[in-house]
Amino acid sequence: MATFLYKLGRLSFRRRWLVVSVWMALLVAVGAAAATAGDPAEEEFSLPGTEAQQAFDLLAEEFPQANAEALTTKVVFQAPEGETLNDPANQAAVRAVTDQLATGDKVISVTDFYEGGQLSPDETIGYVDVTYDGSWADVDNDMRDQFASAVEAGTDAGLTVQSSGELVTAEMDMGSGEIIGIVVAAIVLVITFGSLVAAGLPLLTALIGVGVGMSAIGALSATLGLTEMTGILAMMIGLAVGIDYALFIASRYRAELMAGHSREEAVGRATGTAGSAVVFAGLTVVIALSGLAVVGIPILTKMGLAAAATVVVAVLIALTLVPAALAIVGKRIFGKKLRAQNPETGVPASLSGGKENFGSRWAKGVLRRPWLVLVASVAGLGLMAAPVASLELGLPDNGTAATDTTQRQAYDLLSDGFGPGFNGPLMIVLEAPDGGDVMASADTIAEAIGGLDDVVATAPAFPNEAGNVAMMSVFPGSGPSSAETTDLVSEIRSDLAPQLEAETGVNILVSGQTAAQSDFSQVLSDALVPYLALVVGLAFILLMLVFRSVLVPLKAALGFLLSVLASLGAVVAVYQWGWLGAFGAEPQPIMSMMPIFMIGVVFGLAMDYEVFLVTRMREAHVHGESPRQAIITGFNLNARVVTAAAVIMISVFAGFMTMGESMVMMMGFGLAMAILLDAFVVRMTIVPAVMGLLGERAWWMPKWLDRILPNVDVEGETLEKYLESTGKGRQDATAKEPEPAGVS
């Protein structure tokens, strides 16, 4: 493969403007398709095969009028202290607000809590539901302004008015996180390369790749049901790996120029060697993300596949557009000061002025005390992982929003007025077999459920037109994300429902937010072991192909487990325990999909640094260096670049913590922490310590296994033989006339 990529790199060098034109044309074409595509899909959360989803599907079939695609926004009123909402002045103020709400664009109905029982027992708090004819995509600024004007009228009259729902949910600022990451990346790249031109190259190529990927997601969003969240996560990952992959190839290009090769030859060699590592690093990320499909949750599958597709684009960009861009940049990949060291050729003899760089010093320091470094690093990561023992999973709701938001204040008012369980009622679906009358048994079932300890009220059952299916609401005494409510769901399903079904013959299904959350957590728990087996197994085989070793992939997998557990522990401490204030959010359960999504993403990204660092060690070892010296050489050549790449990836992920959306903030923090720990503790510290302790045994592989595994030649051994046969071997580089500095 290295030989093929070498030829591809040289071809991209020679046809640089054609390659650039093709990618720009593709960007414009996909962008145009996205601009003319339909509205993006709404968040459709489904859990195939679960009881909650079975109930949702039954309701959609039997109560179509209740499942129409309509927006609903809840407006909550509170009377001034010492007054009630039944006082004449307050009634008039509420009526004025509801009348104004009813005149808004696309409003279908506004309920009346004076007639519908939507008033708290002490008459101080009440609410109305405003239903709109449209979907999330139909919400515009006029609708928001009309709604805000009506709410302001109630506030001006002395009432406390808060609201929740789609109309008051702010759109996520997709640009702020991206901009922060790009700014930090630019600073790191300038420091790394010492050249504005060189720093701009990875940024520009990565942005083109992200532009193509995001535009493709936008073009396919309506057709494939790809949501806004899918695009954000794809952008987060695509931008990070796009910059990293370009950085590694550009760095290798500089090294090949310094080895005495011409610009075209340097591009070819960089693409053949570093490009091979990029391919396999990208494959590990794609495997990890695509493997999310085994979980069986459609939204998670789409998120994983969309992000994987963006990574594929980043790899293709790195193998074609980056070599073309390097051809255009030429020797300006070095800063002016570095080019001035050798005015004749414009290529410096050394990036460190002949001094031993930090990477070499770091590797030697680790190798002097490998056992001490290993034990201290593992112990530190183990300590950070301790909070995982108290991990609580849940789904984000208004109760976890920042306390200064209207959604959170509306949530708290409803809890105060109607009880904590009002914000997350259970939905009980009753189905009579063979078209029987379900209402004949509804009162018996309601009475039995109402007698449970954590149930404070049950609403009357509401039948469909045929009378064979009914739904009823059950209000727990505890909040939707509490363990008590989860226990109540389990009690109804496992104990009470079978008993009632035997007595009445009616099929009882428990659904609603808390039930769906419980099912979701169970689905993820059941899928975790198969997912880990698939992803780690495939990646293990891939890494054996790359490193021609059994112990190196095993070490890589164990190191990943340490970093992901430690980073997940940090997420628990910050978001669940509330350390550091969690950026304004209250302590909350960890999002249910967080652990498995972190495992998928972090495993793929962690293997990037493993591949980039250890392939350089493997390359040095294959070309005759001792195991110890190969470790030092690998760090001497790649530690600085891996450090820069990790800082860039951390900054990209951390930038998304500013977006205000709970799921994105938590994901950004978790991924940033995981990369920090994996890059600097596992790959830069534990890896050289373990490799030093293993010595030659690190590269051991059974002979029978070595024979059956194909040789993918990531270290460029066959490429070197090919180059020697064509007169371009290592010994030939210094024998040739160097390119003059004028050739830029």
Side-chain angles (χ1 to χ4, degrees):
M1 185 179 69
T3 304
F4 168 76
L5 293 179
Y6 165 81
K7 294 177 180 178
L8 177 63
R10 296 195 62 166
L11 178 64
S12 298
F13 180 95
R14 293 192 297 270
R15 301 288 186 266
R16 65 199 76 167
W17 294 113
L18 176 61
V19 172
V20 171
S21 300
V22 169
W23 277 108
M24 294 307 298
L26 180 61
L27 177 62
V28 172
V30 178
T36 57
D39 294 327
E42 295 182 68
E43 297 284 352
E44 292 185 2
F45 187 79
S46 61
L47 297 168
T50 63
E51 182 171 325
Q53 189 62 45
Q54 184 181 349
F56 287 139
D57 294 341
L58 183 60
L59 289 176
E61 180 181 350
E62 299 294 339
F63 295 88
Q65 71 280 4
N67 289 273
E69 290 187 0
L71 296 177
T72 300
T73 295
K74 195 178 293 293
V75 182
V76 187
F77 300 87
Q78 183 181 37
E81 187 174 356
E83 302 178 16
T84 71
L85 290 175
N86 272 328
D87 293 345
N90 292 333
Q91 279 201 36
V94 171
R95 295 287 186 194
V97 173
T98 56
D99 289 346
Q100 188 172 344
L101 286 171
T103 62
D105 294 346
K106 298 183 182 297
V107 173
I108 299 174
S109 64
V110 180
T111 59
D112 186 342
F113 60 66
Y114 290 113
E115 297 179 2
Q118 296 167 189
L119 190 62
S120 65
D122 62 3
E123 300 181 346
T124 61
I125 297 174
Y127 70 93
V128 298
D129 290 316
V130 185
T131 303
Y132 291 82
D133 180 18
S135 64
W136 169 259
D138 297 317
V139 177
D140 56 29
N141 289 332
D142 288 341
M143 293 171 65
R144 295 182 189 276
D145 292 342
Q146 292 164 2
F147 183 86
S149 177
V151 169
E152 187 178 355
T155 303
D156 292 342
L159 301 175
T160 297
V161 187
Q162 304 294 342
S163 52
S164 63
E166 290 88 344
L167 206 70
V168 296
T169 302
E171 296 185 50
M172 285 182 281
D173 182 8
M174 294 182 64
S176 61
E178 180 183 352
I179 291 172
I180 292 173
I182 290 174
V183 169
V184 176
I187 295 172
V188 173
L189 288 169
V190 169
I191 295 174
T192 301
F193 284 122
S195 165
L196 290 175
V197 173
L201 186 148
L203 282 176
L204 181 60
T205 56
L207 287 175
I208 292 173
V210 168
V212 171
M214 293 297 296
S215 297
I217 290 173
L220 297 172
S221 60
T223 303
L224 301 181
L226 304 179
T227 63
E228 183 182 25
M229 184 65 67
T230 301
I232 290 175
L233 293 174
M235 176 174 64
M236 184 190 302
I237 295 169
L239 183 61
V241 300
I243 295 175
D244 277 7
Y245 294 166
L247 174 61
F248 276 103
I249 291 180
S251 177
R252 186 58 182 257
Y253 168 70
R254 298 210 310 175
E256 296 297 344
L257 284 177
M258 291 166 58
H261 299 294
S262 67
R263 291 179 305 124
E264 181 176 345
E265 183 66 16
V267 166
R269 286 173 174 266
T271 310
T273 51
S276 296
V278 164
V279 169
F280 282 94
L283 277 176
T284 59
V285 181
V286 169
I287 288 172
L289 292 172
S290 301
L292 291 170
V294 305
V295 179
I297 298 176
I299 188 172
L300 200 57
T301 299
K302 292 175 183 178
M303 289 165 60
L305 292 178
T310 308
V311 173
V312 171
V313 173
V315 171
L316 294 176
I317 286 277
L319 299 178
T320 56
L321 184 59
V322 170
L326 290 173
I328 296 171
V329 169
K331 295 174 183 176
R332 290 190 297 273
I333 196 72
F334 300 107
K336 288 184 178 180
K337 291 183 179 179
L338 289 175
R339 295 202 304 272
Q341 291 181 17
N342 192 347
E344 182 182 351
T345 64
V347 177
S350 170
L351 298 177
S352 58
K355 299 179 182 178
E356 187 176 51
N357 65 19
F358 177 77
S360 296
R361 295 197 302 272
W362 177 266
K364 290 179 179 179
V366 171
L367 291 173
R368 277 195 292 269
R369 298 287 189 275
W371 277 114
L372 178 62
V373 169
L374 179 61
V375 172
S377 299
V378 171
L381 291 176
L383 184 63
M384 289 191 66
V388 175
S390 63
L391 174 68
E392 296 178 8
L393 298 178
L395 293 176
D397 58 21
N398 290 331
T400 62
T403 54
D404 60 348
T405 62
T406 186
Q407 297 98 316
R408 173 60 184 274
Q409 293 176 31
Y411 180 97
D412 291 340
L413 285 177
L414 291 172
S415 295
D416 294 341
F418 302 92
F422 183 83
N423 285 293
L426 303 182
M427 184 186 299
I428 308 298
V429 181
L430 312 176
E431 182 183 22
D434 303 323
D437 183 10
V438 72
M439 296 303 291
S441 304
D443 290 343
T444 301
I445 295 172
E447 183 179 354
I449 294 177
L452 297 176
D453 291 341
D454 196 39
V455 174
V456 297
T458 60
F462 178 78
N464 64 346
E465 292 184 4
N468 65 318
V469 177
M471 60 180 176
M472 59 184 294
S473 295
V474 174
F475 297 95
S478 49
S481 60
S482 68
E484 292 82 1
T485 307
T486 302
D487 292 340
L488 176 61
V489 172
S490 178
E491 183 179 3
I492 296 175
R493 284 178 169 175
S494 59
D495 299 333
L496 188 60
Q499 177 185 337
L500 291 173
E501 288 174 2
E503 293 176 4
T504 64
V506 173
N507 186 29
I508 301 173
L509 300 173
V510 183
S511 188
Q513 175 183 333
T514 304
Q517 173 181 312
S518 178
D519 289 344
F520 185 42
S521 298
Q522 188 61 48
V523 168
L524 292 175
S525 178
D526 293 343
L528 185 59
V529 173
Y531 174 69
L532 275 175
L534 173 68
V535 172
V536 176
L538 289 176
F540 188 87
I541 294 172
L542 193 65
L543 292 176
M544 280 201 300
L545 292 176
V546 173
F547 298 128
R548 315 304 297 181
S549 165
V550 174
L551 297 179
V552 170
L554 179 61
K555 167 194 60 64
L558 293 177
F560 151 74
L561 291 176
L562 283 173
S563 59
V564 77
L565 286 174
S567 58
L568 192 56
V571 172
V572 171
V574 170
Y575 284 92
Q576 184 177 309
W577 294 357
W579 289 10
L580 307 182
F583 309 98
E586 293 289 302
Q588 57 189 284
I590 303 305
M591 183 179 57
S592 296
M593 69 172 67
M594 184 78 178
I596 200 164
F597 195 84
M598 274 191 64
I599 287 172
V601 175
V602 174
F603 183 82
L605 298 180
M607 293 306 104
D608 279 5
Y609 302 115
E610 182 77 15
V611 169
F612 289 128
L613 269 177
V614 183
T615 50
R616 206 66 191 263
M617 299 178 195
R618 169 75 178 169
E619 183 179 344
H621 184 59
V622 165
H623 291 120
E625 293 187 5
S626 68
R628 178 185 175 86
Q629 184 56 45
I631 296 170
I632 297 172
T633 299
F635 270 74
N636 175 59
L637 298 173
N638 266 9
R640 178 183 176 90
V641 182
V642 167
T643 300
V647 171
I648 290 170
M649 195 171 283
I650 291 167
S651 66
V652 169
F653 290 145
F656 285 86
M657 294 162 57
T658 65
M659 296 182 64
E661 169 64 34
S662 176
M663 177 178 174
V664 178
M665 289 173 61
M666 195 180 296
M667 193 68 71
F669 173 80
L671 292 177
M673 182 60 65
I675 297 302
L676 173 67
L677 297 175
D678 194 88
F680 295 110
V681 180
V682 175
R683 308 304 155 189
M684 300 284 284
T685 306
I686 293 179
V687 165
V690 173
M691 296 289 286
L693 291 170
L694 290 175
E696 190 68 42
R697 289 167 296 183
W699 308 112
W700 172 81
M701 175 179 281
K703 292 182 179 179
W704 64 267
L705 185 58
D706 189 48
R707 286 194 299 268
I708 64 175
L709 289 179
N711 185 6
V712 295
D713 188 34
V714 174
E715 67 276 356
E717 186 178 8
T718 58
L719 172 61
E720 191 63 35
K721 293 178 181 177
Y722 167 78
L723 294 173
E724 289 175 358
S725 68
T726 58
K728 299 176 183 177
R730 295 183 175 218
Q731 70 278 6
D732 300 307
T734 55
K736 292 188 176 182
E737 190 73 21
E739 278 187 335
V743 180
S744 60

